[in-house]
């Protein structure tokens, strides 16, 4: 039997948020964008758009700030920016989120007195649970009300054994921790979720809320939460 596709393209939520009138973006832990699938039992990685390319179709003047620590990813970003004044990058560790958000590199490019779309895709799993909680808390505390926090996070809950990657990562002294739904949900701090809520990545489509792609076997959850106007941040 041919295994179903397992797919995720990292610019999907950015494009949706641009259509929802978000006009500034902070992409945390940016890597080289790809579309991952299992086709005929084989892994496939296809390059997809960068966030600034997806956003520009709907918000052509929106500033996009990438944050990453990988020299390879940063180098690839520099090559594709093509002197685009709307996007730039910062070499930084998102675990130090308060320092990061207060840094001149961020405040000179983004207006954090206005709502910002924050993308934290496949980054919190590369931290210990304590680090992930502290980072998520900082991301919820820093931006103003109306800001969006978009996350994806691997899990074993959906039938794929994502934790099989944990031992080899540990051998390389790298943290990798897929987490159950309740832990991922807690990282969003109780903020209201945009439809379709916290769902498998393959089912994340606000235009078809609650419907999964045919044969989807996602190994991660996805959600977008919006910071409420009148609620203390935990």
């Amino acid at each position: 039997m041919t295994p179903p596709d397992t797919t995720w393209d990292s610019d999907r939520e950015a494009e949706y948020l641009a259509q929802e009138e978000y006009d500034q973006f902070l992409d945390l832990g940016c890597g080289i964008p790809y579309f991952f699938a299992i086709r005929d039992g084989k892994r496939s990685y296809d390059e997809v758009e960068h966030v600034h390319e997806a956003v520009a179709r709907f918000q052509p003047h929106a500033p996009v700030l990438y944050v990453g620590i990988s020299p390879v990813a940063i180098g690839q970003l520099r090559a594709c920016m093509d002197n685009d004044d709307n996007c730039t990058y910062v070499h930084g560790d998102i675990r130090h989120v308060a320092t990061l958000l207060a840094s001149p590199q961020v405040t000179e490019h983004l207006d954090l007195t206005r709502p910002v779309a924050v993308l934290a895709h496949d980054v919190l799993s590369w931290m210990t649970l304590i680090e992930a909680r502290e980072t998520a808390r900082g991301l919820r505390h820093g931006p103003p009300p109306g800001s969006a926090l978009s996350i994806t996070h691997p899990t074993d809950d959906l039938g794929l054994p994502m934790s099989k990657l944990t031992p080899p990562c540990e051998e390389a002294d790298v943290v990798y921790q897929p987490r159950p739904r309740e832990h991922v949900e807690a990282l969003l701090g109780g903020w209201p979720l945009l439809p379709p809520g916290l769902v498998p990545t393959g089912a994340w489509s606000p235009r078809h809320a609650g419907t999964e792609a045919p044969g989807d076997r996602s190994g991660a959850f996805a959600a977008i939460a919006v910071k409420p106007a009148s609620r203390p941040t935990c």
Side-chain angles (χ1 to χ4, degrees):
M1 178 178 178
T2 300
D5 284 358
T6 302
T7 59
W8 173 249
D9 50 272
S10 59
D11 60 346
R12 187 189 312 176
E13 285 138 315
E15 181 180 71
Y16 170 73
L17 289 167
Q19 292 179 73
E20 292 295 298
E21 306 302 324
Y22 282 89
D23 61 0
Q24 49 179 357
F25 290 77
L26 179 61
D27 186 6
L28 300 171
C30 61
I32 299 173
Y34 63 87
F35 181 88
F36 166 65
I38 298 177
R39 301 185 181 96
D40 297 326
K42 298 178 181 179
R43 294 187 180 189
S44 172
Y45 293 88
D46 301 325
E47 285 193 24
V48 296
E49 291 180 307
H50 285 275
V51 168
H52 68 276
E53 295 169 325
V55 165
R57 286 197 296 277
F58 302 96
Q59 298 289 340
H61 303 296
V64 177
L65 178 64
Y66 295 98
V67 179
I69 58 175
S70 166
V72 175
I74 294 295
Q76 202 257 14
L77 274 172
R78 292 178 64 183
C80 80
M81 284 180 181
D82 195 26
N83 298 317
D84 187 340
D85 293 334
N86 292 326
C87 60
T88 189
Y89 62 90
V90 173
H91 187 273
D93 189 335
I94 70 169
R95 290 174 296 181
H96 308 304
V97 63
T99 300
L100 176 68
L101 293 177
S103 68
Q105 298 99 317
V106 173
T107 58
E108 290 174 4
H109 197 70
L110 301 177
D111 179 2
L112 295 184
T113 66
R114 298 192 304 106
V116 59
V118 180
L119 312 179
H121 294 167
D122 191 27
V123 293
L124 297 175
S125 58
W126 300 96
M127 306 176 188
T128 66
L129 182 57
I130 292 175
E131 289 174 333
R133 286 171 172 168
E134 289 299 316
T135 299
R137 185 178 294 113
L139 294 176
R140 300 195 309 268
H141 176 76
S147 294
L149 175 60
S150 172
I151 72 167
T152 65
H153 197 297
T155 182
D156 289 334
D157 288 3
L158 301 174
L160 291 180
M162 302 302 292
S163 290
K164 287 180 67 175
L165 298 174
T166 299
C169 286
E170 289 177 344
E171 291 178 7
D173 200 25
V174 173
V175 173
Y176 179 72
Q177 296 184 358
R179 297 188 173 103
R181 181 187 182 91
E182 58 267 25
H183 285 186
V184 178
E185 195 168 23
L187 296 173
L188 296 167
W191 285 9
L193 302 184
L194 296 181
L198 182 65
V199 296
T201 53
W204 201 95
S205 174
R207 297 170 185 80
H208 305 285
T211 60
E212 293 197 33
D216 176 71
R217 288 187 63 206
S218 301
F221 288 116
I224 296 180
V226 178
K227 186 172 184 175
S230 57
R231 179 172 178 170
T233 303
C234 61

